Amino acid sequence: MHDRLKQRLLNYMCIFFTLMCFGKLYLRDDSKVNDHQHLVGDSWSLNEHEIQTNLDKEYNRLRRNHAAKKPAGNVNSEDDEDDGVDYGAHKLAIIVPYRNRFEELKDFVPHMKKYLKEKKIRNHIYIINQADNHRFNRASLINVGHTIAYNDKCDYMAMHDVDLLPLNKQLNYGYPELGPFHVAGPNLHPKYHYEKFVGGILILTMTQFNELNGMSNKFWGWGREDDEFYMRMVDSNYKIFRHGSEITTGYNTFKHEHSVERKRDYAKLPGQKKSMFSRDHDTGLSTLVYNQKKRSEFTIDGYPCTVIDVELECDKNLTPWCDVPPAKKKRF
């Protein structure tokens, strides 16, 4: 009788330790997955959505046709030198949501102007500087940038992180007629590698961005706005294009200049986390409210850009987490 009990206890202990070991392995593997991937994969029921890699023949044909057209309407810019080069029919707005990152900006503007000139892409850089005291709202700043660039007669836009500099000359910054083009795909971005990542550098036509009602205005603080925008594209049946095997530089395709001393605002206030994991059907371009304080034309090492100082309006009934209480601010 005692021998049976001992054997049972030994069996239970073996099962227990086996489960513990597997649990540790699972947690160890899971910790390798970055925050975005873990949250997207586990917390949202994502629709099946094809992301097209490699530039197919049809996409390349359209790019050649658009490049061959003469500019129509007011697409000329003070950026473009009178050097006899045909920059094509379109004008790209590089929209950079910004706050307190001047060291990165000093590298970004000259690099992008030289890079896009070599690719013969007519462009203008808009630095959308959040000049209020609210928490940083990247998505709303992109909405502001779209509104201003659209009024300036740009016909397509790149949502562009200031710390991500393209190095490979074969990257596509052309007019994305077939659908949004994700330049910094997970196979190329140096940090984020999950399949449904659409951040870093994403190119859309102004019409596409309008049809999506822009980005959600609910995301104050760091993270998740790109994942919600992915859901907007999925729900609107957009095909998202990316580079595939034709780009061979992998994670060395970009220079990532993220400042290590700059801390991110990870604070989550009551109600915020639930909102971050929900598809926002209520806010976007149509609900954007902001005050443009100042528009300034700058040159950095001789390369022009426009800096727009804006104050975003926060509806505290809708997003009471746009400001962090003083006690919370010490944590980040």
Side-chain angles (χ1 to χ4, degrees):
M1 184 71 177
H2 289 294
D3 290 339
R4 286 184 184 177
L5 285 174
K6 286 182 181 179
Q7 189 62 43
R8 281 188 183 178
L9 285 172
L10 285 171
N11 289 340
Y12 287 143
M13 289 176 69
C14 287
I15 293 170
F16 175 78
F17 284 116
T18 300
L19 290 173
M20 287 288 289
C21 288
F22 276 113
K24 287 180 180 178
L25 287 172
Y26 174 78
L27 289 172
R28 187 177 296 115
D29 286 341
D30 190 55
S31 67
K32 295 178 183 178
V33 182
N34 62 62
D35 291 342
H36 282 73
Q37 183 177 9
H38 180 73
L39 298 177
V40 172
D42 291 352
S43 300
W44 276 356
S45 176
L46 292 172
N47 300 339
E48 290 298 321
H49 183 64
E50 179 184 3
I51 298 180
Q52 183 70 45
T53 58
N54 291 313
L55 296 182
D56 57 28
K57 292 180 180 179
E58 179 64 11
Y59 207 108
N60 278 317
R61 182 187 66 78
L62 283 169
R63 289 173 67 195
R64 287 193 297 271
N65 287 347
H66 280 289
K69 292 178 182 177
K70 297 297 181 183
N74 181 21
V75 294
N76 290 316
S77 164
E78 69 280 359
D79 298 80
D80 305 315
E81 297 176 8
D82 186 15
D83 53 10
V85 175
D86 183 2
Y87 286 91
H90 299 285
K91 183 178 177 183
L92 170 65
I94 302 290
I95 297 174
V96 181
Y98 177 83
R99 179 187 263 173
N100 300 332
R101 300 179 71 171
F102 187 64
E103 289 302 314
E104 292 166 357
L105 189 62
K106 286 193 300 184
D107 292 335
F108 180 83
V109 172
H111 181 94
M112 291 306 302
K113 296 303 291 185
K114 288 185 280 189
Y115 180 85
L116 293 173
K117 182 176 181 179
E118 187 172 346
K119 294 177 74 65
K120 299 179 182 178
I121 292 178
R122 189 186 313 276
N123 68 91
H124 192 76
I125 296 176
Y126 295 87
I127 310 300
I128 313 301
N129 178 44
Q130 186 171 336
D132 54 52
N133 292 320
H134 297 310
R135 301 171 72 188
F136 190 65
N137 191 323
R138 177 178 177 271
S140 290
L141 294 177
I142 291 171
N143 287 343
V144 172
H146 165 272
T147 303
I148 293 169
Y150 180 80
N151 291 333
D152 286 351
K153 308 301 181 184
C154 295
D155 59 347
Y156 72 118
M157 59 183 277
M159 301 154 47
H160 211 301
D161 285 354
V162 72
D163 58 6
L164 202 61
L165 305 180
L167 301 177
N168 190 313
K169 296 179 181 179
Q170 302 304 313
L171 292 171
N172 173 42
Y173 275 78
Y175 186 79
E177 178 165 321
L178 293 183
F181 195 95
H182 188 209
V183 181
N187 58 322
L188 303 177
H189 194 284
K191 186 172 183 181
Y192 299 115
H193 308 142
Y194 61 97
E195 181 186 356
K196 296 173 177 63
F197 171 68
V198 291
I201 308 167
L202 180 65
I203 298 178
L204 305 93
T205 70
M206 293 300 188
T207 300
Q208 290 161 1
F209 196 77
N210 271 319
E211 289 176 349
L212 294 165
N213 194 26
M215 301 186 77
S216 169
N217 295 314
K218 291 184 176 181
F219 289 81
W220 302 89
W222 186 84
R224 299 290 300 173
E225 71 282 344
D226 288 324
D227 297 329
E228 200 281 336
F229 192 64
Y230 171 83
M231 292 301 296
R232 291 187 180 218
M233 292 187 284
V234 169
D235 289 350
S236 296
N237 297 314
Y238 273 107
K239 177 186 280 189
I240 303 167
F241 290 83
R242 285 179 177 145
H243 286 291
S245 59
E246 79 280 5
I247 300 295
T248 60
T249 44
Y251 298 148
N252 296 316
T253 301
F254 302 94
K255 181 180 180 182
H256 194 220
E257 292 198 324
H258 183 67
S259 302
V260 294
E261 69 276 4
R262 185 176 56 84
K263 296 181 179 180
R264 285 175 169 165
D265 176 358
Y266 289 103
K268 300 294 180 288
L269 302 184
Q272 183 177 4
K273 191 170 183 179
K274 181 179 179 181
S275 176
M276 291 174 70
F277 289 93
S278 303
R279 168 72 167 88
D280 178 11
H281 294 278
D282 302 319
T283 77
L285 280 174
S286 60
T287 63
L288 178 68
V289 181
Y290 69 97
N291 172 39
Q292 181 175 318
K293 293 182 64 179
K294 187 178 181 181
R295 175 173 179 146
S296 305
E297 308 301 328
F298 283 94
T299 58
I300 299 177
D301 291 342
Y303 295 96
C305 66
T306 296
V307 177
I308 311 288
D309 293 338
V310 298
E311 293 176 332
L312 301 175
E313 181 172 308
C314 170
D315 180 350
K316 294 199 173 184
N317 291 319
L318 183 66
T319 57
W321 50 84
C322 62
D323 295 319
V324 178
K328 290 270 187 181
K329 289 183 180 180
K330 297 178 182 178
R331 301 181 184 179
F332 60 88

